[in-house]
Amino acid sequence: MKSATITIRCPAKINLGLSVLGRRPDGYHEIRSILQSVSLHDTLEVQRARRFSLQIEEEWAAVSRGGGVPADGGNLVLKAAAALKSSLGERAAAFRLIKRIPPGAGMGGASSDAAAAVVALDRLYDLGLKPPEFHRIAASIGSDVPFFLYGGACLALGRGEEIYPLPDGPSLQLVVVFSAKGLSTPEVYSRWDRLLTSTDKASRMNDFAPWCLVLRGEDPAIANDLETAAIALEASLGEVRSALTGAGAKAVSMTGSGSAFFGIFSDAKAAEHGASRLRRAGHAAVNAVSLGRAEWMEAVRAVG
Ligand code: C5P
């Protein structure tokens, strides 16, 4: 007998470097990035029901984003359900989503929730989806969603939906700083378009390759091409970068299209001290660790 409620953890991600190669004919941007699962997570509970519903509970990490997450068809959890319509027929589900990952942070919270919804619906109704179908459905919901079917560290190409799992690197001790204001991904990309003066794809690829060394425990200067665009939209983000460096981070970057920044610290103690120092200075800072693929799988499945 299947348990009445399926509960899935939805871990966030950071981008260990993000290179934007240019705008594509379909309006998306061609990117290169290393996506890395982290311990901060939402939780999704799913039960069989006669019609779809979504209840959101807010337990935001560090910042309040009240009202920032749609509970209607705009929510990627319900978009995931709609994407499975042909398999589900008239079958539906009641979702309860506990939100900790702030939206507009670049940590893929909504995408992780959506991937969890696809997995949960497949389990709830024994849909028997095969890996290529999972991937195709996830990519139709959003560029970031397929990554959340694999977790750990992955190379992301194309618009971010082309995913190549990478071997785990060493555990990264992180501090994430959330800004009071979230950023909209389309707005950040469109600002990037306007700031762009030249595209030298060859040199961008050379910049990108060494970032993979972060997975070997080395400290390459990871960079996110969207950072300048994000700071152009929200000038205060420049201070977050220098505050993280001042708190002892050995590498600092924005994640995704922002507005959160993260710092990599040499060990857990340095990361805890760094986060307290940032909080004392008024920043919304939280500690997190990277999750290897097995740890990610454990985190996702632990709840049942
Ligand atoms: O795929 P997703 O719906 O998450 O993308 C949201 C928006 O972000 C797109 O409509 C596009 O404006 C922008 N985007 C982009 N290039 C990417 C990913 C997203 O321009 N690689």
Side-chain angles (χ1 to χ4, degrees), residues 37-303:
S37 296
V38 297
S39 48
L40 175 65
H41 63 273
D42 293 340
T43 304
L44 182 68
E45 293 176 6
V46 191
Q47 276 182 318
R48 292 184 186 205
R50 285 180 191 282
R51 57 184 186 83
F52 281 108
S53 64
L54 172 62
Q55 179 197 340
I56 295 179
E57 284 178 31
E58 303 181 6
E59 288 184 14
W60 303 119
V63 279
S64 169
R65 288 277 206 268
V69 172
D72 59 12
N75 192 293
L76 290 196
V77 166
L78 293 177
K79 284 199 175 159
L84 283 173
K85 176 77 187 143
S86 63
S87 307
L88 286 169
E90 293 308 306
R91 294 172 291 186
F95 295 104
R96 180 168 168 261
L97 179 60
I98 299 158
K99 285 296 302 176
R100 299 184 190 88
I101 311 164
M107 297 192 79
S111 300
S112 188
D113 302 342
V118 174
V119 169
L121 288 169
D122 175 71
R123 262 159 66 181
L124 194 64
Y125 285 119
D126 284 326
L127 300 180
L129 295 180
K130 301 277 180 296
E133 294 167 281
F134 270 113
H135 195 107
R136 183 184 53 74
I137 289 162
S140 78
I141 302 166
S143 306
D144 270 353
V145 182
F147 164 72
F148 294 100
L149 298 172
Y150 302 88
C154 290
L155 177 65
L157 311 182
R159 60 183 170 97
E161 90 291 15
E162 213 180 297
I163 291 297
Y164 299 88
L166 296 170
D168 293 338
S171 170
L172 300 175
Q173 299 294 332
L174 306 163
V175 176
V176 182
V177 175
F178 295 101
S179 167
K181 201 171 154 248
L183 286 176
S184 136
T185 302
E187 275 178 38
V188 174
Y189 272 107
S190 100
R191 182 54 72 106
W192 182 89
D193 289 338
R194 278 185 276 150
L195 288 173
L196 187 71
T197 47
S198 74
T199 16
D200 180 353
K201 293 186 183 183
S203 77
R204 281 168 186 276
M205 285 311 292
N206 287 339
D207 289 348
F208 173 70
W211 297 343
C212 297
L213 297 177
V214 78
L215 299 171
R216 228 169 59 183
E218 296 179 31
D219 297 337
I222 49 171
N224 182 334
D225 282 351
L226 294 175
E227 214 173 287
T228 322
I231 292 173
L233 286 167
E234 184 55 50
S236 65
L237 295 180
E239 290 161 32
V240 175
R241 159 172 276 291
S242 38
L244 268 161
T245 307
K250 52 182 188 163
V252 178
S253 180
M254 189 173 84
T255 173
S257 54
S259 58
F261 276 65
F262 63 91
I264 303 176
F265 286 71
S266 50
D267 55 44
K269 210 164 159 204
E272 264 169 46
H273 283 154
S276 325
R277 195 169 150 185
L278 285 158
R279 281 193 289 268
R280 278 199 304 276
H283 292 282
V286 293
N287 286 103
V289 290
S290 60
L291 300 177
R293 188 153 298 106
E295 290 166 313
W296 171 83
M297 235 171 235
E298 182 68 20
V300 167
R301 289 189 181 150
V303 221

